[in-house]
Amino acid sequence: IQHSTRDRLLVEGEKHKKWLVPMRSTRTVQAVAVPAAPSFADSAEFWKHLAESYGFRKIGEPLPGNVTLKDILDTLPKRIDNVKAWKAVLKTVTSYALGLFMISKAPWYLLPFAWAWTGTAATGVFVIGHDCAHKTFSKNKLVEDIVGTLAFLPLIYPYEPWRFKHDWHHARTNMLVEDTAWHPVREEEFDSSPVLRKAIIFGYGPFRPWMSIAHWLIWHFDLKKFRPNQIQRVKISWACVFGFMAIGWPLIIYKAGIMGWIKFWLMPWLGYHFCMSTFTMMHHTAPHIPFKSSDEWNAAQAQLNGTIHCDYPCWIEILCHDINVHIPHHVSARIPHYNLRVAHESLQENWGKVAFDKLAPGESQPVTFLKRAMPGYA
C-alpha cells in the first residue's frame, strides 16, 4: 500500500465519514471506516499515527499466526485467594451501603453525585457475581453459585442465564454474529427499514450509555436462547429474580414511597447500566479492532488483540475491582479480579509488542473517542 493511500485512509477515518462497512462472507468487518488489514503492520509510523488519532498510547503489532492461546495462558497467574475474595465482598457491601446512606441524607442538588457513587458501587457488586460465574471466587462451587445469585439480585440479573451467555461471549469474542456481547451494525441491516434506522441512530447515539438494558432484556429472559440442559438452572435464576422484585420492591415502596424506589433503586440501577454499557463499549470496540467470521477467527488474536485496557479515575477502579484491566481477563477468564493487574504486567512483559493500552480518560478525550468509535452495548 502506497503512503498516499495510507494518508487518505487516515484522513477519512479522522473525518468519520463512514460508520458502516458492508460485510462479505470471507472479509473482515471493521468497527469504523479505518481498516486494520494485516499489511498495514509493516509501517510503524502508520500505526503510531493511527493510535494517536484515536487517543491510544499504542496499538500492538498483529499477533504472529503460530502463537496459540495456551502460549499466552502459561505466563499468567490464576490462583484463588479466599481472603482477598471476601475482602472484596466487604468493600463492595460497605461502599454500596455508604451510597444508600448518602442518598438518604443528600439534598436534591447533591443526589446526582450520590447516585453516581452508588451506581458505580453496584458495578462492584456485579464484578463479585462476575467472578463467581467464572469460577474464580471460591474453590467451593456451591458457595460461588449462592454468592453469585445473591450479588445479581439487586441488579435484577438472573445469574445462570447471564453466566451461560457470558461464557459464550468469552469463547467467541469479536466473532461476527456469534459474539453475544457486541457486534457491528451491518450496512444492509441499517438500510433495511427507516424505523430500524431511527432506532439504531437513537439507541447507538444518545441512548448508548444505557444500551446494556436492552441487552439485559433480550438475552436473559427468553427460554428459546438456551439449550435444553440449561433450562432448569435458568428457571431457578428467574424465580430468584422475580422473588426479589416481588418482595424487595414493595418493601422499598412501603418504607419510602414511589419516589423512594426511584431514589434508592432505579437511579443507582441506571448508573450501574451506564457503567456496564460504557465499559463494554470501551473494552470491545475501537477503530482498528476487526470482527471476523468464524472461518477466519483466531482465539489468541481475538483475546489479545481484540480487547482494550482502559484507565479510569482511581475511585472507579477501586469500586469496580479493576474490571477495567480487561485484556488479561479475556486471555484467561480464570484470573480473579485481584490478580488482573499482576497478569496485565505479565502480558506487558511477555507480549508487550502485541498488546495495546489506551490513555487515561482525562488524557484521551473520551467524548471525542466515543463519537469516533462504532458504539456497542454490554
Side-chain angles (χ1 to χ4, degrees), residues 65-85:
N66 62 341
V67 175
T68 66
L69 196 55
K70 184 179 183 302
D71 295 331
I72 304 171
L73 289 173
D74 290 342
T75 67
L76 301 178
K78 308 180 191 70
R79 189 172 66 87
I80 293 175
D81 187 323
N82 287 326
V83 173
K84 289 182 178 179

Side-chain angles (χ1 to χ4, degrees), residues 97-353:
L98 177 60
L100 296 177
F101 176 77
M102 289 191 294
I103 292 172
S104 69
K105 298 298 183 182
W108 66 267
Y109 53 85
L110 291 180
L111 277 175
F113 297 100
W115 288 330
W117 173 278
T118 312
T120 307
T123 308
V125 176
F126 168 83
V127 175
I128 298 296
H130 175 268
D131 268 18
C132 292
H134 282 301
K135 308 304 178 187
T136 61
F137 180 83
S138 171
K139 294 178 181 178
N140 186 315
K141 303 312 172 188
L142 178 61
V143 168
E144 285 186 322
D145 287 344
I146 293 172
V147 172
T149 299
L150 292 175
F152 275 21
L153 287 184
L155 308 174
I156 315 299
Y157 261 86
Y159 173 72
E160 292 290 358
W162 179 87
R163 182 173 70 86
F164 292 143
K165 294 307 176 187
H166 191 67
D167 285 348
W168 186 272
H169 157 65
H170 272 269
R172 294 160 178 81
T173 303
N174 288 12
M175 186 186 292
L176 277 172
V177 180
E178 298 292 332
D179 191 349
T180 60
W182 149 259
H183 60 84
V185 178
R186 298 175 184 173
E187 188 173 30
E188 59 269 25
E189 182 181 7
F190 187 75
D191 293 334
S192 63
S193 163
V195 175
L196 180 59
R197 180 182 305 190
K198 287 284 187 182
I200 291 172
I201 290 172
F202 280 98
Y204 286 23
F207 299 146
R208 177 170 54 191
W210 292 278
M211 280 297 288
S212 63
I213 297 175
H215 185 272
W216 162 72
L217 283 171
I218 292 169
W219 282 101
H220 305 116
F221 294 95
D222 182 358
L223 281 179
K224 295 177 182 178
K225 295 186 181 297
F226 300 96
R227 296 193 297 269
N229 64 336
Q230 298 173 338
I231 297 297
Q232 186 64 28
R233 298 180 75 93
V234 169
K235 289 181 177 179
I236 292 173
S237 290
W238 283 5
C240 292
V241 166
F242 295 140
F244 176 85
M245 294 168 65
I247 297 171
W249 284 3
L251 281 176
I252 297 173
I253 295 171
Y254 175 75
K255 290 290 186 180
I258 292 293
M259 287 305 299
W261 178 81
I262 293 173
K263 284 175 58 177
F264 290 100
W265 185 81
L266 181 61
M267 297 306 293
W269 184 76
L270 291 175
Y272 153 75
H273 274 287
F274 175 88
C275 291
M276 282 294 292
S277 299
T278 303
F279 286 3
T280 303
M281 193 279 291
M282 297 296 285
H283 288 157
H284 295 293
T285 65
H288 57 285
I289 291 180
F291 285 78
K292 296 188 176 183
S293 57
S294 58
D295 59 334
E296 294 182 322
W297 187 83
N298 175 280
Q301 292 173 347
Q303 308 300 7
L304 194 62
N305 285 139
T307 53
I308 299 172
H309 170 78
C310 299
D311 293 330
Y312 291 99
C314 183
W315 68 276
I316 294 179
E317 296 183 353
I318 292 173
L319 290 182
C320 296
H321 305 298
D322 290 333
I323 196 62
N324 57 295
V325 186
H326 207 62
I327 297 175
H329 172 62
H330 263 269
V331 172
S332 173
R334 290 304 181 96
I335 301 174
H337 72 266
Y338 43 80
N339 283 338
L340 287 175
R341 291 197 178 275
V342 176
H344 186 74
E345 293 173 1
S346 174
L347 285 176
Q348 288 182 317
E349 179 181 348
N350 294 288
W351 307 97
K353 288 186 177 182

